[in-house]
Amino acid sequence: MSIDDYLAGLAGPLREIGEKLTPIIAAALPGATGAMWHGHPVWGLGDRPGQRPVCLVKAYGSYVTFGLWRGQEITDPSGRLIPSARTMMAAVKLRDVADVDPALFSDWLRAAAQMEEA
């Protein structure tokens, strides 16, 4: 299954969120590899999924999680990134396409990529 297949299989509002996120991710992470990993899309800086992962998109019943592997290390004046139980990870739950903030998310992605490149 491809990322496009994954998004196409989502219910309307969730698909719209995913379709708004993917070009933001592509623009903020030029050259990143996007692939399905553990059943959902993941983008990383290596040649294969899971190698130096930066972010993920994962749909649930009523929202989409946009997560960053090193999100807890990112300065987030918006307060929208919520630390996860996994070390270093943080995410935001998106319930509507209007919850996607392209400028903010691009800043997060660039910061996360810089950490992986260091």
Side-chain angles (χ1 to χ4, degrees):
M1 173 183 290
S2 71
I3 293 173
D4 289 339
D5 293 336
Y6 177 86
L7 296 175
L10 300 178
L14 302 180
R15 184 179 60 251
E16 290 173 17
I17 292 167
E19 289 173 346
K20 187 168 182 179
L21 282 171
T22 52
I24 294 167
I25 294 166
L29 300 176
T33 303
M36 296 298 293
W37 193 47
H38 295 282
H40 59 273
V42 172
W43 287 262
L45 300 181
D47 295 337
R48 55 190 153 77
Q51 184 180 25
R52 294 175 41 216
V54 175
C55 69
L56 65 91
V57 172
K58 187 172 183 178
Y60 292 90
S62 62
Y63 63 91
V64 172
T65 293
F66 174 56
L68 299 158
W69 256 261
R70 295 179 67 178
Q72 291 182 34
E73 298 176 49
I74 293 172
T75 301
D76 176 32
S78 75
R80 290 187 62 191
L81 278 175
I82 306 300
S84 83
R86 296 186 127 202
T87 305
M88 297 191 299
M89 289 190 80
V92 60
K93 290 182 181 178
L94 308 167
R95 299 182 192 294
D96 186 89
V97 72
D99 293 337
V100 179
D101 181 333
L104 177 63
F105 292 12
S106 294
D107 288 346
W108 290 344
L109 287 161
R110 283 190 292 272
Q114 286 176 351
M115 287 180 218
E116 288 303 323
E117 291 169 345

